[in-house]
Amino acid sequence: MTTMPEHLSRILMILGPTASGKSALAMELAEKCGGELVNADSLQVYRGLDIGTAKPTMAMRERVPHHLIDLIPPDAPFTAAEFCRCADLAIADIWARGRRPIVVGGTGLYLRALVHGLIDSPGENMALRAELTQLAAREGNEVVLERLRLVDPLAAARIHPNNLVRIIRALEVYQQSGRPLSSYWAEHGFMPQRYACLKIGVHVERAELYARIEARVDAMLAAGLADEVSQLLASGYSASLKPLRAIGYKEICAHLAGKISLAEARALIIRNTRLYAKRQLTWCQQEEPINWVEYPQNFVSIQHIAIQFFA
């Protein structure tokens, strides 16, 4: 373990790709170390999105307190800045009661913002976003990405071609500030940390991870994912809402709209979840040193590291 700044509050962060076992490890560590969990999954903050987000059950929440779960309805906005504000309050409260905060989740932006803060860049330009989204729908993401390459080749090289939201955001920043987003990233790298953070990553071999993803998707479908989405739509929530465009929900929305069969929806969810897991691993490779572990095989060693960190 690296030396941690003594003046900063400490948090343990459990990360890794989806279906790697992050939540199970965090639960067991919390029980052994007197901890409470702070959710860093951008979808679990929404009420009503339970099955498709692998949200902890009520029984799990009774065993270990969870924070930042079921905060808002599906049509309410929730930004990384709002996440940081809520997480800061939860972490301070956990420490004030003599407990230990364990942050768990796979949303890279949330995890990075919590430790390093957010980039002070221009706000939203909804007209430009709509224009670029329509352009991508007509001519493909590559056309929008090529625009970004012309003004910010570093950002264009770093952002995945399928991540249209981030491509548009980079163009939005450049148009409003005259500065490439990559220059903001460079400045941000010198900002001090907000927390002393020990990062534990759950390592799973690729073939095993893919098998777990397939099993998880089948379990979600068996648990009633289609019914969950149907109830959300029946409650008046639009399929165009951000949380309902997430993996698992958008495919089931397409199925319920008669565009694809349930078997096709299943295959797409598995494929898209695998791609998402690959992007999560790429993100992890860009982070500061992560203590990669195998769980549950090496839990005793993991527990020792965690107790040492919080001591």
Side-chain angles (χ1 to χ4, degrees):
M1 288 194 304
T2 56
T3 303
M4 296 288 171
E6 290 300 323
H7 67 287
L8 295 179
S9 180
R10 296 190 172 211
I11 58 172
L12 181 63
M13 189 173 281
I14 309 296
L15 44 79
T18 186
S20 61
K22 298 186 298 294
S23 297
L25 171 57
M27 283 281 297
E28 191 168 2
L29 276 178
E31 290 181 312
K32 299 291 186 182
C33 302
E36 298 185 11
L37 303 186
V38 179
N39 165 55
D41 182 298
S42 63
L43 291 177
Q44 291 186 0
V45 301
Y46 293 104
R47 293 191 289 272
L49 278 73
D50 302 327
I51 298 172
T53 65
K55 192 177 289 180
T57 64
M58 294 309 299
M60 293 169 68
R61 293 184 233 181
E62 288 174 3
R63 281 172 51 196
V64 173
H66 286 65
H67 301 264
L68 278 63
I69 299 281
D70 291 338
L71 294 182
I72 54 174
D75 57 352
F78 194 79
T79 64
E82 185 67 9
F83 163 75
C84 287
R85 186 187 71 80
C86 294
D88 287 344
L89 292 172
I91 291 166
D93 174 63
I94 292 167
W95 272 119
R97 291 183 286 103
R99 307 282 287 174
R100 292 163 173 170
I102 300 174
V103 179
V104 57
T107 302
L109 175 60
Y110 283 12
L111 297 171
R112 185 175 290 162
L114 184 62
V115 178
H116 298 289
L118 289 163
I119 296 174
D120 185 18
S121 58
E124 299 176 350
N125 182 327
M126 300 309 294
L128 177 63
R129 289 186 179 188
E131 175 192 332
L132 294 174
T133 300
Q134 291 168 8
L135 176 63
R138 290 195 311 269
E139 303 183 34
N141 289 9
E142 183 61 32
V143 173
V144 185
L145 183 59
E146 184 57 34
R147 285 195 183 187
L148 181 60
R149 287 194 187 100
L150 295 174
V151 297
D152 191 351
L154 291 176
R158 182 168 164 179
I159 298 173
H160 194 280
N162 291 338
N163 197 332
L164 182 62
V165 171
R166 291 192 66 199
I167 295 170
I168 291 175
R169 175 57 183 161
L171 284 166
E172 180 181 56
V173 167
Y174 179 79
Q175 176 163 311
Q176 295 185 101
S177 68
R179 291 179 55 192
L181 180 59
S182 56
S183 70
Y184 286 94
W185 289 342
E187 287 180 1
H188 190 253
F190 295 100
M191 291 180 66
Q193 285 192 196
R194 303 175 71 246
Y195 291 97
C197 178
L198 174 65
K199 297 178 182 177
I200 294 180
V202 184
H203 171 73
V204 182
E205 292 295 335
R206 184 65 58 89
E208 172 63 19
L209 181 64
Y210 284 177
R212 290 188 190 184
I213 287 171
E214 185 168 348
R216 171 178 280 192
V217 171
D218 285 338
M220 287 177 173
L221 291 170
L225 177 58
D227 289 338
E228 177 172 282
V229 177
S230 181
Q231 289 170 12
L232 287 165
L233 296 173
S235 297
Y237 295 114
S238 170
S240 64
L241 289 173
K242 182 178 178 180
L244 290 182
R245 288 187 281 111
I247 297 170
Y249 289 95
K250 64 180 178 181
E251 295 87 355
I252 295 299
C253 282
H255 163 62
L256 294 174
K259 297 177 180 178
I260 57 175
S261 68
L262 184 59
E264 289 171 322
R266 173 188 178 273
L268 284 172
I269 296 171
I270 291 171
R271 185 201 69 179
N272 293 336
T273 305
R274 286 180 176 182
L275 292 172
Y276 178 56
K278 289 174 67 176
R279 292 197 298 272
Q280 288 175 308
L281 286 168
T282 299
W283 180 87
C284 287
Q285 291 166 4
Q286 298 170 351
E287 288 300 286
E288 297 90 344
I290 295 171
N291 297 273
W292 288 101
V293 299
E294 293 184 342
Y295 173 79
Q297 301 94 309
N298 297 327
F299 179 74
V300 173
S301 299
I302 301 168
Q303 181 183 347
H304 176 72
I305 291 171
I307 291 173
Q308 212 177 21
F309 170 69
F310 281 124

Coordinates of all heavy atoms in Angstrom, one line a residue, residues 33-115:
C33 N -15.4 -5.4 9.0 CA -14.6 -4.3 9.3 C -15.4 -3.1 10.0 O -14.9 -2.0 10.2 CB -13.9 -3.7 8.1 SG -12.8 -4.9 7.3
G34 N -16.7 -3.4 10.2 CA -17.5 -2.3 10.8 C -17.8 -1.2 9.8 O -17.7 0.0 10.1
G35 N -18.1 -1.6 8.5 CA -18.2 -0.6 7.5 C -19.7 -0.4 7.0 O -20.6 -1.2 7.4
E36 N -19.9 0.6 6.3 CA -21.1 0.9 5.6 C -20.8 1.2 4.1 O -19.8 1.8 3.8 CB -21.9 2.0 6.3 CG -22.3 1.7 7.7 CD -23.1 2.8 8.4 OE1 -23.6 3.7 7.6 OE2 -23.3 2.8 9.6
L37 N -21.8 0.9 3.3 CA -21.5 1.0 1.8 C -22.1 2.3 1.2 O -23.2 2.7 1.6 CB -22.1 -0.2 1.1 CG -21.6 -1.6 1.6 CD1 -22.1 -2.7 0.7 CD2 -20.1 -1.6 1.6
V38 N -21.3 2.9 0.4 CA -21.7 4.1 -0.4 C -21.8 3.7 -1.8 O -20.8 3.4 -2.4 CB -20.8 5.3 -0.1 CG1 -21.2 6.5 -0.9 CG2 -20.6 5.6 1.3
N39 N -23.0 3.7 -2.4 CA -23.2 3.3 -3.8 C -22.6 4.3 -4.8 O -22.8 5.5 -4.7 CB -24.7 3.2 -4.1 CG -25.0 3.1 -5.5 OD1 -24.5 2.3 -6.3 ND2 -25.8 4.1 -6.0
A40 N -21.8 3.8 -5.7 CA -21.3 4.6 -6.8 C -21.7 4.1 -8.2 O -20.9 4.1 -9.1 CB -19.7 4.7 -6.7
D41 N -22.9 3.5 -8.2 CA -23.5 3.1 -9.5 C -24.5 4.1 -9.9 O -25.5 4.4 -9.2 CB -24.2 1.7 -9.3 CG -24.7 1.2 -10.6 OD1 -25.7 1.8 -11.1 OD2 -24.3 0.1 -11.0
S42 N -24.4 4.7 -11.1 CA -25.2 5.8 -11.5 C -26.7 5.4 -11.7 O -27.5 6.3 -11.8 CB -24.7 6.4 -12.8 OG -24.7 5.5 -13.9
L43 N -27.0 4.1 -11.8 CA -28.4 3.7 -12.0 C -29.1 3.3 -10.7 O -30.3 3.4 -10.6 CB -28.5 2.6 -13.0 CG -28.1 2.9 -14.4 CD1 -28.2 1.6 -15.3 CD2 -29.1 3.9 -15.0
Q44 N -28.3 2.9 -9.7 CA -29.0 2.5 -8.5 C -29.5 3.6 -7.6 O -30.2 3.4 -6.7 CB -28.0 1.6 -7.6 CG -27.7 0.3 -8.3 CD -26.8 -0.6 -7.4 OE1 -26.5 -0.3 -6.3 NE2 -26.5 -1.8 -7.9
V45 N -29.2 4.9 -8.0 CA -29.8 6.0 -7.3 C -31.3 6.2 -7.7 O -32.0 6.9 -7.0 CB -29.1 7.3 -7.7 CG1 -27.6 7.2 -7.3 CG2 -29.2 7.7 -9.2
Y46 N -31.7 5.5 -8.8 CA -33.1 5.7 -9.3 C -34.1 4.7 -8.6 O -33.8 3.5 -8.6 CB -33.2 5.5 -10.8 CG -32.5 6.6 -11.5 CD1 -31.2 6.4 -12.1 CD2 -33.0 7.9 -11.6 CE1 -30.6 7.4 -12.8 CE2 -32.4 8.9 -12.3 CZ -31.2 8.7 -12.9 OH -30.5 9.7 -13.6
R47 N -35.2 5.2 -8.1 CA -36.2 4.3 -7.6 C -36.9 3.6 -8.7 O -37.2 4.1 -9.8 CB -37.2 5.1 -6.8 CG -36.7 5.7 -5.5 CD -37.8 6.3 -4.6 NE -38.4 7.5 -5.2 CZ -37.9 8.7 -5.0 NH1 -36.9 8.9 -4.2 NH2 -38.6 9.7 -5.5
G48 N -37.3 2.3 -8.5 CA -38.0 1.5 -9.5 C -37.1 0.7 -10.5 O -37.6 -0.1 -11.2
L49 N -35.8 1.1 -10.5 CA -34.9 0.3 -11.3 C -34.1 -0.6 -10.4 O -33.0 -0.3 -9.9 CB -33.9 1.3 -12.1 CG -34.4 1.9 -13.4 CD1 -35.5 3.0 -13.1 CD2 -33.3 2.5 -14.2
D50 N -34.7 -1.8 -10.2 CA -34.1 -2.7 -9.2 C -33.4 -3.9 -9.9 O -32.3 -4.2 -9.6 CB -35.2 -3.2 -8.3 CG -35.9 -2.0 -7.6 OD1 -35.2 -1.0 -7.3 OD2 -37.1 -2.1 -7.3
I51 N -34.2 -4.6 -10.7 CA -33.7 -5.9 -11.2 C -32.5 -5.6 -12.2 O -31.5 -6.2 -12.2 CB -34.8 -6.7 -11.9 CG1 -35.9 -7.1 -10.9 CG2 -34.2 -7.9 -12.6 CD1 -37.1 -7.7 -11.5
G52 N -32.8 -4.7 -13.1 CA -31.8 -4.4 -14.2 C -30.5 -3.7 -13.7 O -29.5 -3.7 -14.4
T53 N -30.5 -3.2 -12.5 CA -29.3 -2.6 -11.9 C -28.6 -3.4 -10.9 O -27.6 -3.0 -10.3 CB -29.7 -1.2 -11.2 OG1 -30.5 -1.5 -10.1 CG2 -30.4 -0.3 -12.2
A54 N -29.1 -4.7 -10.7 CA -28.6 -5.6 -9.7 C -28.5 -4.8 -8.3 O -27.6 -5.0 -7.6 CB -27.2 -6.1 -10.1
K55 N -29.6 -4.1 -8.0 CA -29.6 -3.3 -6.8 C -29.6 -4.3 -5.6 O -30.3 -5.3 -5.6 CB -30.9 -2.4 -6.8 CG -30.9 -1.4 -5.7 CD -32.2 -0.5 -5.9 CE -32.1 0.4 -7.1 NZ -33.4 1.2 -7.2
P56 N -28.9 -3.9 -4.5 CA -29.0 -4.7 -3.3 C -30.4 -4.9 -2.8 O -31.2 -4.0 -2.8 CB -28.1 -4.0 -2.3 CG -28.0 -2.6 -2.8 CD -28.1 -2.7 -4.3
T57 N -30.7 -6.1 -2.4 CA -32.0 -6.4 -1.8 C -32.2 -5.8 -0.5 O -31.3 -5.3 0.2 CB -32.2 -8.0 -1.7 OG1 -31.3 -8.4 -0.7 CG2 -32.0 -8.7 -3.0
M58 N -33.5 -5.8 0.0 CA -33.8 -5.2 1.3 C -33.1 -6.0 2.4 O -32.6 -5.5 3.4 CB -35.3 -5.2 1.5 CG -36.0 -4.2 0.6 SD -35.3 -2.5 0.6 CE -35.5 -2.1 2.3
A59 N -33.0 -7.4 2.2 CA -32.3 -8.2 3.1 C -30.8 -7.8 3.2 O -30.2 -7.8 4.3 CB -32.4 -9.7 2.7
M60 N -30.2 -7.5 2.1 CA -28.8 -7.1 2.1 C -28.6 -5.8 2.8 O -27.7 -5.5 3.6 CB -28.3 -7.0 0.7 CG -28.2 -8.3 0.0 SD -27.9 -8.2 -1.8 CE -26.2 -7.5 -1.8
R61 N -29.6 -4.9 2.6 CA -29.5 -3.5 3.2 C -29.8 -3.6 4.7 O -29.3 -2.7 5.5 CB -30.5 -2.6 2.6 CG -30.2 -2.3 1.1 CD -31.1 -1.3 0.5 NE -31.7 -1.8 -0.7 CZ -32.6 -1.1 -1.5 NH1 -33.0 0.1 -1.1 NH2 -33.0 -1.6 -2.6
E62 N -30.5 -4.6 5.2 CA -30.7 -4.8 6.6 C -29.4 -5.4 7.2 O -29.1 -5.1 8.4 CB -31.8 -5.8 6.8 CG -33.2 -5.2 6.5 CD -34.3 -6.2 6.6 OE1 -34.1 -7.3 7.0 OE2 -35.5 -5.8 6.3
R63 N -28.6 -6.2 6.5 CA -27.4 -6.7 7.0 C -26.3 -5.6 7.1 O -25.6 -5.5 8.1 CB -26.9 -7.8 6.1 CG -27.5 -9.1 6.2 CD -27.1 -10.1 5.1 NE -25.6 -10.2 5.0 CZ -25.0 -10.7 4.0 NH1 -25.6 -11.1 2.9 NH2 -23.6 -10.7 4.0
V64 N -26.2 -4.8 6.1 CA -25.2 -3.7 6.1 C -25.9 -2.4 5.6 O -26.6 -2.5 4.5 CB -24.1 -4.1 5.1 CG1 -23.1 -2.9 4.9 CG2 -23.3 -5.3 5.7
P65 N -25.8 -1.3 6.2 CA -26.4 -0.1 5.7 C -25.8 0.3 4.4 O -24.6 0.3 4.2 CB -26.0 1.0 6.8 CG -25.7 0.2 8.1 CD -25.2 -1.1 7.6
H66 N -26.7 0.7 3.5 CA -26.3 1.2 2.2 C -26.7 2.7 2.0 O -27.8 3.0 2.4 CB -27.0 0.4 1.0 CG -26.4 -1.0 0.8 ND1 -26.5 -2.0 1.8 CD2 -25.8 -1.5 -0.2 CE1 -25.9 -3.1 1.3 NE2 -25.5 -2.8 0.1
H67 N -25.9 3.5 1.4 CA -26.2 4.9 1.2 C -26.2 5.2 -0.3 O -25.6 4.5 -1.1 CB -25.1 5.8 1.8 CG -25.0 5.5 3.3 ND1 -25.6 6.3 4.2 CD2 -24.3 4.6 4.0 CE1 -25.3 5.9 5.4 NE2 -24.5 4.9 5.3
L68 N -27.0 6.2 -0.7 CA -27.2 6.6 -2.1 C -27.9 5.6 -3.0 O -27.6 5.3 -4.1 CB -25.9 7.0 -2.7 CG -25.4 8.4 -2.4 CD1 -25.1 8.6 -0.9 CD2 -24.1 8.8 -3.2
I69 N -28.9 4.9 -2.4 CA -29.7 4.0 -3.1 C -31.2 4.5 -3.1 O -31.6 5.1 -2.1 CB -29.8 2.6 -2.4 CG1 -28.4 2.0 -2.4 CG2 -30.7 1.6 -3.1 CD1 -27.9 1.3 -3.6
D70 N -31.9 4.4 -4.2 CA -33.3 4.9 -4.3 C -33.4 6.3 -3.9 O -34.4 6.7 -3.2 CB -34.2 4.0 -3.4 CG -34.3 2.6 -4.0 OD1 -34.1 2.4 -5.2 OD2 -34.6 1.7 -3.2
L71 N -32.6 7.2 -4.4 CA -32.7 8.6 -4.1 C -33.8 9.4 -4.8 O -34.4 10.3 -4.3 CB -31.3 9.3 -4.3 CG -30.1 8.9 -3.5 CD1 -28.9 9.7 -3.9 CD2 -30.4 9.0 -2.0
I72 N -33.9 9.1 -6.1 CA -34.8 9.9 -7.0 C -35.6 9.1 -8.0 O -35.3 7.9 -8.2 CB -33.9 10.9 -7.8 CG1 -32.8 10.1 -8.6 CG2 -33.2 11.9 -6.9 CD1 -31.9 10.9 -9.5
P73 N -36.7 9.6 -8.5 CA -37.4 8.9 -9.5 C -36.7 8.9 -10.9 O -35.7 9.7 -11.1 CB -38.7 9.8 -9.6 CG -38.3 11.1 -9.2 CD -37.3 11.0 -8.2
P74 N -37.1 8.0 -11.8 CA -36.4 7.9 -13.1 C -36.3 9.1 -13.9 O -35.4 9.2 -14.8 CB -37.1 6.8 -13.8 CG -37.8 6.0 -12.7 CD -38.1 7.0 -11.6
D75 N -37.2 10.1 -13.7 CA -37.2 11.3 -14.6 C -36.5 12.5 -14.0 O -36.6 13.6 -14.5 CB -38.6 11.6 -15.0 CG -39.5 11.9 -13.8 OD1 -39.1 11.6 -12.6 OD2 -40.7 12.3 -14.0
A76 N -35.8 12.3 -12.8 CA -35.1 13.4 -12.2 C -33.7 13.4 -12.6 O -33.1 12.3 -12.8 CB -35.2 13.2 -10.7
P77 N -33.1 14.6 -12.8 CA -31.7 14.6 -13.2 C -30.8 14.3 -12.0 O -31.2 14.6 -10.9 CB -31.5 16.1 -13.6 CG -32.6 16.8 -12.9 CD -33.8 15.9 -12.7
F78 N -29.7 13.7 -12.3 CA -28.7 13.4 -11.2 C -27.3 13.5 -11.9 O -27.0 12.7 -12.7 CB -29.0 12.1 -10.6 CG -28.2 11.8 -9.3 CD1 -28.7 12.4 -8.2 CD2 -27.1 11.1 -9.3 CE1 -28.0 12.1 -7.0 CE2 -26.4 10.8 -8.1 CZ -26.9 11.4 -6.9
T79 N -26.5 14.4 -11.4 CA -25.2 14.7 -12.0 C -24.1 14.1 -11.2 O -24.3 13.7 -10.0 CB -25.0 16.2 -12.2 OG1 -24.9 16.8 -10.9 CG2 -26.1 16.8 -13.1
A80 N -22.9 14.1 -11.7 CA -21.7 13.7 -10.9 C -21.5 14.6 -9.8 O -21.0 14.2 -8.7 CB -20.5 13.6 -11.8
A81 N -21.8 15.9 -10.0 CA -21.6 16.9 -8.9 C -22.6 16.6 -7.8 O -22.2 16.7 -6.6 CB -21.9 18.3 -9.4
E82 N -23.8 16.2 -8.1 CA -24.8 15.9 -7.1 C -24.4 14.6 -6.4 O -24.6 14.4 -5.2 CB -26.2 15.7 -7.7 CG -27.3 15.4 -6.8 CD -27.6 16.6 -5.8 OE1 -27.1 17.7 -6.1 OE2 -28.4 16.4 -4.9
F83 N -23.8 13.6 -7.1 CA -23.3 12.4 -6.5 C -22.3 12.8 -5.5 O -22.3 12.2 -4.3 CB -22.7 11.5 -7.6 CG -21.9 10.4 -6.9 CD1 -22.4 9.3 -6.3 CD2 -20.5 10.5 -7.0 CE1 -21.6 8.4 -5.7 CE2 -19.7 9.5 -6.4 CZ -20.2 8.5 -5.7
C84 N -21.3 13.6 -5.8 CA -20.2 14.0 -4.9 C -20.8 14.6 -3.6 O -20.3 14.3 -2.5 CB -19.2 14.9 -5.6 SG -18.2 14.1 -6.8
R85 N -21.8 15.5 -3.8 CA -22.4 16.2 -2.7 C -23.0 15.2 -1.7 O -22.8 15.2 -0.5 CB -23.4 17.2 -3.1 CG -24.0 18.0 -2.0 CD -25.2 18.9 -2.5 NE -26.3 18.1 -2.8 CZ -27.2 17.7 -1.8 NH1 -26.9 17.9 -0.5 NH2 -28.2 17.0 -2.1
C86 N -23.8 14.2 -2.3 CA -24.5 13.2 -1.5 C -23.5 12.3 -0.8 O -23.6 11.9 0.3 CB -25.5 12.5 -2.3 SG -26.9 13.4 -2.9
A87 N -22.5 11.9 -1.6 CA -21.5 10.9 -1.1 C -20.6 11.6 0.0 O -20.3 10.9 1.0 CB -20.5 10.5 -2.2
D88 N -20.3 12.9 -0.1 CA -19.6 13.6 0.9 C -20.3 13.5 2.2 O -19.8 13.3 3.3 CB -19.3 15.0 0.5 CG -18.2 15.1 -0.6 OD1 -17.5 14.2 -0.8 OD2 -18.1 16.2 -1.2
L89 N -21.6 13.8 2.1 CA -22.5 13.8 3.3 C -22.5 12.4 4.0 O -22.4 12.3 5.2 CB -23.9 14.3 3.0 CG -24.0 15.8 2.6 CD1 -25.4 16.1 2.1 CD2 -23.6 16.7 3.8
A90 N -22.7 11.4 3.1 CA -22.8 10.1 3.6 C -21.5 9.6 4.3 O -21.5 9.0 5.4 CB -23.1 9.1 2.5
I91 N -20.3 9.9 3.7 CA -19.0 9.5 4.2 C -18.8 10.3 5.5 O -18.3 9.6 6.5 CB -17.9 9.9 3.2 CG1 -18.1 8.9 2.0 CG2 -16.5 9.7 3.8 CD1 -17.2 9.3 0.8
A92 N -19.1 11.5 5.6 CA -18.9 12.3 6.9 C -19.8 11.7 8.0 O -19.3 11.5 9.1 CB -19.2 13.8 6.6
D93 N -21.0 11.3 7.6 CA -21.9 10.7 8.6 C -21.4 9.4 9.1 O -21.5 9.1 10.3 CB -23.3 10.6 8.0 CG -24.3 9.9 8.9 OD1 -24.6 10.4 10.0 OD2 -24.7 8.8 8.5
I94 N -20.9 8.6 8.2 CA -20.4 7.2 8.5 C -19.2 7.4 9.5 O -19.2 6.7 10.5 CB -20.0 6.5 7.3 CG1 -21.2 6.1 6.4 CG2 -19.2 5.2 7.6 CD1 -20.9 5.6 5.0
W95 N -18.3 8.2 9.2 CA -17.1 8.4 10.1 C -17.6 9.0 11.4 O -17.1 8.6 12.5 CB -16.1 9.4 9.4 CG -15.1 8.7 8.6 CD1 -14.9 8.9 7.2 CD2 -14.2 7.7 9.0 NE1 -13.9 8.1 6.8 CE2 -13.4 7.3 7.8 CE3 -13.9 7.1 10.2 CZ2 -12.4 6.4 7.9 CZ3 -12.9 6.1 10.2 CH2 -12.1 5.8 9.1
A96 N -18.6 9.9 11.4 CA -19.0 10.6 12.7 C -19.6 9.5 13.6 O -19.6 9.7 14.9 CB -20.1 11.6 12.4
R97 N -20.1 8.4 13.1 CA -20.7 7.4 13.9 C -19.7 6.3 14.2 O -20.1 5.2 14.7 CB -22.0 6.8 13.3 CG -23.1 7.8 13.2 CD -24.4 7.2 12.6 NE -24.3 7.1 11.2 CZ -24.1 6.0 10.5 NH1 -23.9 4.9 11.2 NH2 -24.0 6.0 9.2
G98 N -18.4 6.5 13.9 CA -17.4 5.5 14.2 C -17.4 4.3 13.3 O -16.8 3.3 13.6
R99 N -18.0 4.5 12.1 CA -18.0 3.4 11.1 C -17.0 3.7 10.0 O -16.4 4.8 10.0 CB -19.5 3.2 10.6 CG -20.5 3.1 11.6 CD -20.6 1.7 12.2 NE -21.1 0.8 11.2 CZ -21.2 -0.6 11.4 NH1 -20.7 -1.1 12.5 NH2 -21.7 -1.3 10.4
R100 N -16.9 2.8 9.1 CA -15.9 2.9 8.0 C -16.6 2.9 6.7 O -17.3 2.0 6.3 CB -14.9 1.8 8.1 CG -14.0 1.9 9.3 CD -13.3 0.6 9.7 NE -12.4 0.7 10.8 CZ -11.8 -0.3 11.4 NH1 -12.1 -1.6 11.0 NH2 -10.9 -0.1 12.3
P101 N -16.3 4.0 5.8 CA -17.0 4.1 4.5 C -16.3 3.2 3.5 O -15.1 3.3 3.2 CB -16.8 5.6 4.2 CG -15.6 6.0 5.0 CD -15.5 5.1 6.2
I102 N -17.1 2.4 2.8 CA -16.7 1.6 1.7 C -17.5 2.0 0.4 O -18.7 1.8 0.4 CB -16.8 0.1 2.0 CG1 -16.0 -0.3 3.2 CG2 -16.4 -0.7 0.8 CD1 -16.2 -1.7 3.7
V103 N -16.8 2.6 -0.5 CA -17.5 3.0 -1.8 C -17.4 1.9 -2.8 O -16.4 1.3 -3.0 CB -16.8 4.3 -2.3 CG1 -17.5 4.7 -3.6 CG2 -16.8 5.4 -1.3
V104 N -18.6 1.5 -3.3 CA -18.6 0.4 -4.3 C -19.5 0.8 -5.5 O -20.6 1.3 -5.3 CB -19.1 -0.9 -3.6 CG1 -20.5 -0.7 -3.0 CG2 -19.1 -2.1 -4.6
G105 N -19.0 0.5 -6.7 CA -19.8 0.7 -7.9 C -18.9 0.8 -9.1 O -17.6 0.9 -9.0
G106 N -19.5 0.8 -10.3 CA -18.7 0.7 -11.5 C -18.8 1.9 -12.4 O -18.4 1.9 -13.5
T107 N -19.4 3.1 -11.9 CA -19.5 4.3 -12.7 C -18.2 5.1 -12.5 O -18.0 5.8 -11.5 CB -20.7 5.1 -12.3 OG1 -21.9 4.3 -12.5 CG2 -20.8 6.3 -13.2
G108 N -17.3 5.0 -13.6 CA -16.0 5.6 -13.5 C -16.0 7.1 -13.2 O -15.2 7.5 -12.4
L109 N -16.9 7.8 -13.8 CA -16.9 9.2 -13.6 C -17.2 9.6 -12.1 O -16.6 10.5 -11.5 CB -18.0 9.9 -14.5 CG -18.3 11.4 -14.3 CD1 -17.0 12.2 -14.5 CD2 -19.4 11.9 -15.2
Y110 N -18.1 8.8 -11.5 CA -18.5 9.0 -10.1 C -17.3 8.7 -9.2 O -16.9 9.5 -8.3 CB -19.6 8.2 -9.7 CG -21.0 8.6 -10.1 CD1 -21.1 9.6 -11.1 CD2 -22.2 8.1 -9.6 CE1 -22.4 10.1 -11.5 CE2 -23.4 8.5 -10.0 CZ -23.5 9.5 -11.0 OH -24.8 9.9 -11.4
L111 N -16.6 7.6 -9.5 CA -15.5 7.2 -8.6 C -14.3 8.3 -8.7 O -13.7 8.7 -7.7 CB -15.0 5.9 -9.1 CG -16.0 4.7 -8.9 CD1 -15.4 3.4 -9.6 CD2 -16.2 4.4 -7.4
R112 N -14.1 8.7 -10.0 CA -13.0 9.6 -10.2 C -13.3 11.0 -9.6 O -12.5 11.7 -9.0 CB -12.7 9.8 -11.7 CG -11.5 10.7 -12.0 CD -11.2 10.6 -13.5 NE -10.7 9.3 -13.9 CZ -10.6 8.9 -15.2 NH1 -11.1 9.7 -16.1 NH2 -10.1 7.7 -15.5
A113 N -14.6 11.5 -9.8 CA -15.0 12.8 -9.3 C -14.9 12.8 -7.7 O -14.6 13.8 -7.1 CB -16.4 13.1 -9.7
L114 N -15.3 11.7 -7.1 CA -15.3 11.6 -5.6 C -13.9 11.8 -5.1 O -13.7 12.5 -4.1 CB -15.9 10.3 -5.2 CG -16.0 10.1 -3.7 CD1 -17.0 11.2 -3.1 CD2 -16.5 8.7 -3.3
V115 N -12.9 11.2 -5.7 CA -11.5 11.3 -5.2 C -10.8 12.6 -5.7 O -10.1 13.3 -4.9 CB -10.7 10.1 -5.6 CG1 -9.3 10.2 -5.1 CG2 -11.3 8.8 -5.1

